[in-house]
Amino acid sequence: MKAHILEIDGKKGKEIALPSAFSAIVREDIVAKVLEAKKTRQPYAPSPVGGKQHSASGKIQHVRHVWKTMQGKGISRVPRKIMSRRGSQFNWVGAEIPNAVGGRRAHPPKILSMINTRRINKKEMSLAMKSALAATGNEKIVSQRYERLKEQKISGLPLVVESKITHLKAKELIASLKKVLGDILFEVSLKQRSVRSGKGKARGRKYKKNLGLLLVVGNKEKLKTNVIDVRNVKELNVTDLANGGVGRLTMYTEEAIKEIGERIKWR
């Protein structure tokens, strides 16, 4: 499989042979399995001693025929703490239980339920990486991924650009992307942010944003920008290439293509 190297002004340059991973069969089921295993969630829970830190001393026993119990007092068998005492007479109040003031929570969130313990085999991870790479060069899969591209005809994937693009400033980079991608793909390439409609604005989810274009660069190449996402070959993973599903709009530099061929090989 071959592709043309695009210059920063959008003109086609020389042809380059793509790594064999770009010709792999796209296994969406394996990619979905890897994405599920890579999900992370911040565990949260109340304090394990919450509701049990008594300021008053003493605690009532629940057994019968024992001094300092609730038997024969005409009160419910609710855990209580002693506030004051006069001989065998006590001033006590309910404690610890959820319906008592300052008591523990009834069914608090459990940390263990939030820890992802799924694991992926090495061969499955390798297959998922090849599938994610191959999907970036499949016009049909990419057009199905984006709503704005479903009725458009796109060609020339995967996108390979010369390494000069990593030396451009922000305005020059946007102008170069417009020439390289064309008007159709440029619409979905830039990261955009909009205010969410509805009550989610008041619940910590004020903004909605898209992923935009992913630019894969070589390990020695650097590009700092907020316009698009940038990853080098060493850090590149399935989550970057297939976040939300396979077929993310991705562009590779010439150096990145060479290093991908060295990193990902057929077993």
Side-chain angles (χ1 to χ4, degrees), residues 80-98:
R80 299 169 188 269
K81 62 183 179 181
I82 300 170
M83 304 297 290
S84 62
R85 169 188 170 185
R86 185 179 180 185
S88 61
Q89 295 181 357
F90 300 93
N91 174 25
W92 44 36
V93 295
E96 287 198 16
I97 56 173

Side-chain angles (χ1 to χ4, degrees), residues 165-183:
I165 198 169
T166 58
H167 302 295
L168 300 179
K169 301 292 184 180
K171 287 184 179 180
E172 296 172 342
L173 177 64
I174 294 174
S176 178
L177 288 175
K178 196 165 187 177
K179 293 176 183 177
V180 172
L181 297 172
D183 295 333

Side-chain angles (χ1 to χ4, degrees), residues 134-198:
T136 61
N138 191 313
E139 289 89 354
K140 185 178 179 181
I141 294 176
V142 173
S143 62
Q144 288 177 346
R145 160 79 184 250
Y146 297 93
E147 187 68 29
R148 284 179 284 184
L149 300 180
K150 283 187 177 179
E151 297 180 359
Q152 305 291 340
K153 186 178 180 181
I154 56 177
S155 60
L157 298 182
L159 296 166
V160 183
V161 69
E162 59 181 345
S163 296
K164 288 182 183 178
I165 198 169
T166 58
H167 302 295
L168 300 179
K169 301 292 184 180
K171 287 184 179 180
E172 296 172 342
L173 177 64
I174 294 174
S176 178
L177 288 175
K178 196 165 187 177
K179 293 176 183 177
V180 172
L181 297 172
D183 295 333
I184 298 173
L185 294 178
F186 183 73
E187 291 182 7
V188 297
S189 65
L190 300 181
K191 291 198 288 187
Q192 297 173 347
R193 190 175 74 166
S194 59
V195 177
R196 184 187 299 273
S197 61

Side-chain angles (χ1 to χ4, degrees), residues 9-27:
D9 57 358
K11 295 179 181 178
K12 286 185 178 180
K14 63 180 181 179
E15 272 193 339
I16 185 173
L18 296 174
S20 54
F22 285 91
S23 303
I25 299 173
V26 180
R27 290 287 305 273

Side-chain angles (χ1 to χ4, degrees), residues 3-266:
H4 283 281
I5 298 176
L6 300 171
E7 299 177 0
I8 57 175
D9 57 358
K11 295 179 181 178
K12 286 185 178 180
K14 63 180 181 179
E15 272 193 339
I16 185 173
L18 296 174
S20 54
F22 285 91
S23 303
I25 299 173
V26 180
R27 290 287 305 273
E28 294 189 35
D29 55 332
I30 301 296
V31 174
K33 185 178 179 180
V34 172
L35 292 176
E36 188 68 25
K38 291 296 181 181
K39 283 183 179 178
T40 57
R41 185 179 177 189
Q42 177 64 52
Y44 65 97
S47 171
V49 294
K52 299 180 181 180
Q53 297 168 296
H54 299 153
S55 59
S57 62
K59 187 179 178 184
I60 299 173
Q61 299 182 46
H62 282 264
V63 294
R64 293 169 62 93
H65 308 301
V66 176
W67 183 71
K68 204 162 60 174
T69 67
M70 291 164 280
Q71 300 294 326
K73 302 292 184 181
I75 57 176
S76 62
R77 297 190 184 187
V78 170
R80 299 169 188 269
K81 62 183 179 181
I82 300 170
M83 304 297 290
S84 62
R85 169 188 170 185
R86 185 179 180 185
S88 61
Q89 295 181 357
F90 300 93
N91 174 25
W92 44 36
V93 295
E96 287 198 16
I97 56 173
N99 60 336
V101 175
R104 62 178 175 81
R105 292 180 64 179
H107 302 285
K110 308 296 192 297
I111 289 179
L112 290 177
S113 67
M114 304 175 196
I115 299 175
N116 193 345
T117 58
R118 295 179 180 88
R119 295 292 181 267
I120 297 294
N121 298 332
K122 288 183 179 179
K123 288 185 179 180
E124 284 183 317
M125 183 65 77
S126 177
L127 183 58
M129 189 68 180
K130 292 169 186 174
S131 297
L133 283 168
T136 61
N138 191 313
E139 289 89 354
K140 185 178 179 181
I141 294 176
V142 173
S143 62
Q144 288 177 346
R145 160 79 184 250
Y146 297 93
E147 187 68 29
R148 284 179 284 184
L149 300 180
K150 283 187 177 179
E151 297 180 359
Q152 305 291 340
K153 186 178 180 181
I154 56 177
S155 60
L157 298 182
L159 296 166
V160 183
V161 69
E162 59 181 345
S163 296
K164 288 182 183 178
I165 198 169
T166 58
H167 302 295
L168 300 179
K169 301 292 184 180
K171 287 184 179 180
E172 296 172 342
L173 177 64
I174 294 174
S176 178
L177 288 175
K178 196 165 187 177
K179 293 176 183 177
V180 172
L181 297 172
D183 295 333
I184 298 173
L185 294 178
F186 183 73
E187 291 182 7
V188 297
S189 65
L190 300 181
K191 291 198 288 187
Q192 297 173 347
R193 190 175 74 166
S194 59
V195 177
R196 184 187 299 273
S197 61
K199 294 183 179 179
K201 289 194 293 290
R203 294 171 180 166
R205 303 181 292 274
K206 184 176 180 181
Y207 298 105
K208 291 174 66 177
K209 59 183 180 180
N210 65 337
L211 285 174
L213 175 74
L214 173 66
L215 177 62
V216 182
V217 299
N219 292 324
K220 294 183 179 180
E221 296 175 328
K222 290 183 180 181
L223 176 64
K224 288 187 177 181
T225 179
N226 294 325
V227 177
I228 56 175
D229 290 332
V230 182
R231 292 286 185 278
N232 61 38
V233 175
K234 189 177 181 180
E235 297 173 347
L236 189 65
N237 54 45
V238 178
T239 308
D240 294 326
L241 292 167
N243 194 345
V246 294
R248 183 178 180 182
L249 185 61
T250 310
M251 182 184 291
Y252 305 88
T253 63
E254 183 180 0
E255 189 68 25
I257 290 292
K258 295 177 183 177
E259 292 178 5
I260 287 173
E262 296 172 2
R263 176 187 165 184
I264 303 172
K265 298 178 181 178
W266 290 105

